[in-house]
Amino acid sequence: MSSVNDDFEVDPALSSPSSHPPSPMNDSYYGLDAMELAQISTNRLQQKLTVGSSHDHSKIREKGLSMGAGKPFPSPLPDPEDYVVEFEGIHDPMHPYNWEFTVKLRISFMVCFATFSASFTSAVFSPGIASASKTFGVGSEVGTLGTTLYVLGFASGPSIWAPASELMGRRWPLTIGILGGGVFTIASAVAKDVQTLIICRFFAGLFGASQLSVVPAVLADIYNNTHRGVAIAIYSLTVFVGPFSAPSVGGFIASSILGWRWTLYIPAFMSFASGGLFVFFLKETYAPFLLIEKAAAIRRQSHNWGIHAKQDEVEVDVHELIRNNFTRPLRMLVTEPIVLLISLYMSFIYGLVYALLEAYPYVFENIHGMSAGVGGLTFISLIIGQLLACAFILSQHSTYAKKLAANNNVPVPEWRLAPAVVGAPAFTAGLFCFGWTGFSSTIHWIAPTAAGMLIGFGVLCIFLPCFNYLVDSYLPLAASTIAANIMLRSAVAAGFPLFSKQMFQNLGVQWAGTLLGCLAAVMIPIPLTFRIYGPWLRGKSKLGP
């Protein structure tokens, strides 16, 4: 059987298919091989531990429940497993892995565009902060909260949307999230006071976080180990291209007759467009819910109401939901050094993205005298660097696929970190170059702009391999790992816009750039260290495979 998803949660102590076979009848389970048995067992346990518990029929009489109308309780089903629908096998056309490539491509485009919309919305308001602050009669520091609280919403959302996507399927959390983000963005645009603006921005980020936390699960639903890396690379590109393309667009809008409010109207329209695509064209990709549809169709045809999917047995246990999807990510940050150190490294990278939203305007508008829109065009160099990084990472994919095939399709997490070893020094060099070429107007503006290519290249070369490394290192617990990572990095990134402009003003561009470069230099050994000592650390973990 194909894997339904690789980001569900499962207690490693329960993940052995031999200790929890799908059927007590025999080990063959109607001719399925050992790999397919393992997939069935693991997926069922992951569903149970992520969204709640199955029905406990033994407690029905204890609760005083009855069939009613004097009917006795019916006898139990002969063998409940006989009534549970499954996929036919690894080549079942119903399974998302086996859908036509055009269908997968359409789904990938829709969800990646929605991710771009959410990340674009996070930064497009930044050029309008000064005008908005003037409108409401507050300082620019207060206006900056419009960006900070949106990113803080990113940190708060995964604990809601990740379990929702496994309780309701992928389609509706994505749709509700993107439409809700659009509604609150419109509310921000029409705000009559600064309190309404920043509070609605927080909730817009909270709803927008659905794309960050659920889209990787969608891509994992439809792509196997061999092709998933390519899909995640495109997804990661949208996470960063959105904030880097927003300042130019927002700058031209805010300085035009439209004004700062249209920096919020336009991303709201993008969100509504994505929501409309989801409503009419997005297919459900979560395999347990596809089996629910299959079971319903068989019930209608056979009138055998005992036929069901395993997901039909799931009951929501609020206490388990909180423990599995909120406290576990926090525990992993405290107890797992791999999760903590890699997430801290990624938090610094992600935070710098939002720090540059303040640093670039200061350098190119205040020092080089550019307008807001023209100064925002310098972010294009960062995007070019990221496109080059994406091409570099994808060029390594064939080598990774060969290693994976030679290792019986079992990923070795440290294989993912090779691009990060290259990206870390490139990122550091970019920060130093930006600081020491952007502090004076006597140095041509092309110099700090070109430094952005190194920064953009390093950002993606670090972020994407580290993201994949965490997933591969804690594959049975990848949902909690991703949630822990998003919560920490978004919480850290939310603080960067609050001090980055003041830091560049008070320290000077060259020394602020030097400080950031030194911090990045200290972190250069992190990917290399994990390539060498990662297997040993994973061996010490009580949570990893």
Side-chain angles (χ1 to χ4, degrees):
M1 167 166 307
S2 311
S3 173
V4 173
N5 193 357
D6 69 357
D7 70 343
F8 302 148
E9 300 191 21
V10 60
D11 187 337
L14 302 177
S15 62
S16 170
S18 60
S19 60
H20 293 267
S23 170
M25 295 176 60
N26 54 63
D27 291 337
S28 63
Y29 195 36
Y30 307 116
L32 298 180
D33 61 25
M35 180 179 295
E36 293 172 335
L37 285 171
Q39 302 284 5
I40 293 172
S41 178
T42 299
N43 288 333
R44 290 183 181 181
L45 288 165
Q46 287 167 333
Q47 294 167 45
K48 176 182 176 181
L49 293 179
T50 302
V51 299
S53 301
S54 298
H55 297 287
D56 187 353
H57 297 285
S58 66
K59 296 183 179 180
I60 292 179
R61 286 187 173 85
E62 296 177 10
K63 295 180 179 179
L65 300 177
S66 67
M67 292 295 292
K71 295 181 180 179
F73 278 101
S75 59
L77 294 175
D79 185 350
E81 283 296 334
D82 291 346
Y83 295 84
V84 176
V85 297
E86 304 284 2
F87 292 108
E88 293 294 336
I90 58 176
H91 300 297
D92 189 337
M94 184 180 178
H95 194 283
Y97 280 2
N98 302 314
W99 290 351
E100 293 182 1
F101 178 72
T102 53
V103 175
K104 294 183 180 183
L105 193 63
R106 184 179 71 242
I107 293 172
S108 301
F109 171 79
M110 286 190 290
V111 297
C112 285
F113 175 72
T115 305
F116 172 82
S117 298
S119 60
F120 178 85
T121 306
S122 70
V124 71
F125 173 67
S126 182
I129 288 175
S131 300
S133 300
K134 184 177 180 181
T135 300
F136 297 124
V138 297
S140 59
E141 291 80 6
V142 176
T144 303
L145 290 174
T147 298
T148 294
L149 289 182
Y150 187 97
V151 181
L152 199 60
F154 277 173
S156 307
S159 60
I160 299 173
W161 301 112
S165 73
E166 293 168 344
L167 185 64
M168 305 167 58
R170 315 298 191 201
R171 184 169 179 260
W172 286 114
L174 283 172
T175 304
I176 293 171
I178 197 67
L179 290 176
V183 169
F184 279 103
T185 301
I186 286 287
S188 301
V190 300
K192 301 300 182 183
D193 52 60
V194 70
Q195 299 95 315
T196 303
L197 170 65
I198 61 178
I199 290 173
C200 288
R201 283 285 286 172
F202 169 79
F203 283 104
L206 182 73
F207 278 85
S210 61
Q211 312 308 307
L212 297 183
S213 52
V214 179
V215 168
V218 171
L219 299 177
D221 287 343
I222 61 179
Y223 296 107
N224 58 25
N225 286 337
T226 303
H227 302 102
R228 188 180 304 121
V230 176
I232 295 295
I234 304 302
Y235 157 79
S236 299
L237 199 59
T238 63
V239 171
F240 288 106
V241 169
F244 285 152
S245 61
S248 176
V249 177
F252 283 115
I253 294 172
S255 60
S256 71
I257 194 173
L258 295 176
W260 66 269
R261 294 185 186 274
W262 277 88
T263 65
L264 298 171
Y265 281 125
I266 290 177
F269 298 154
M270 293 170 61
S271 297
F272 290 140
S274 293
L277 290 174
F278 286 172
V279 169
F280 294 107
F281 301 109
L282 183 63
K283 294 180 61 175
E284 179 58 63
T285 63
Y286 188 35
F289 271 74
L290 298 178
L291 290 176
I292 289 177
E293 296 174 4
K294 179 179 180 180
I298 295 175
R299 284 197 301 269
R300 287 194 297 269
Q301 295 175 10
S302 65
H303 300 286
N304 185 337
W305 307 115
I307 294 174
H308 64 283
K310 267 294 176 183
Q311 189 77 7
D312 288 320
E313 299 179 4
V314 172
E315 289 181 344
V316 177
D317 187 313
V318 175
H319 295 291
E320 288 187 20
L321 206 62
I322 294 174
R323 176 173 60 84
N324 291 341
N325 295 283
F326 184 72
T327 62
R328 181 182 289 165
L330 297 179
R331 291 199 310 269
M332 292 182 72
L333 283 173
V334 174
T335 61
E336 292 296 308
I338 289 178
V339 176
L340 178 62
L341 292 175
I342 292 293
S343 294
L344 282 173
Y345 191 26
M346 294 173 67
S347 298
F348 174 68
I349 303 300
Y350 196 60
L352 193 67
V353 170
Y354 290 93
L356 292 176
L357 296 180
E358 300 293 331
Y360 262 57
Y362 179 75
V363 169
F364 293 104
E365 294 174 27
N366 291 18
I367 295 178
H368 290 279
M370 298 180 182
S371 65
V374 174
L377 291 175
T378 56
F379 280 93
I380 293 177
S381 65
L382 291 160
I383 297 175
I384 293 173
Q386 290 181 333
L387 292 173
L388 293 174
C390 187
F392 171 67
I393 293 171
L394 294 181
S395 70
Q396 309 296 310
H397 178 69
S398 59
T399 302
Y400 176 81
K402 291 177 182 177
K403 288 182 179 180
L404 193 63
N407 201 42
N408 295 322
N409 207 36
V410 177
V412 176
E414 285 71 30
W415 290 346
R416 298 284 195 181
L417 291 175
V421 174
V422 177
F427 177 67
T428 303
L431 290 176
F432 280 119
C433 289
F434 177 76
W436 285 94
T437 60
F439 71 95
S440 174
S441 60
T442 59
I443 301 174
H444 198 279
W445 59 266
I446 198 66
T449 302
M453 294 179 64
L454 285 174
I455 296 175
F457 180 86
V459 162
L460 198 67
C461 275
I462 294 170
F463 183 89
L464 179 55
C466 288
F467 185 86
N468 284 326
Y469 176 71
L470 284 178
V471 172
D472 286 353
S473 295
Y474 297 90
L475 198 54
L477 295 169
S480 288
T481 307
I482 292 171
N485 178 262
I486 293 176
M487 291 165 68
L488 180 61
R489 78 172 194 248
S490 296
V492 171
F496 271 72
L498 295 176
F499 66 82
S500 55
K501 183 177 181 179
Q502 292 87 334
M503 181 177 70
F504 276 83
Q505 285 177 334
N506 297 330
L507 292 180
V509 175
Q510 67 272 47
W511 294 113
T514 299
L515 174 61
L516 295 175
C518 288
L519 290 174
V522 170
M523 297 180 181
I524 286 177
I526 290 179
L528 188 59
T529 300
F530 278 101
R531 272 183 66 87
I532 298 172
Y533 297 104
W536 178 78
L537 284 173
R538 288 188 290 108
K540 297 292 183 180
S541 172
K542 296 181 181 180
L543 297 177

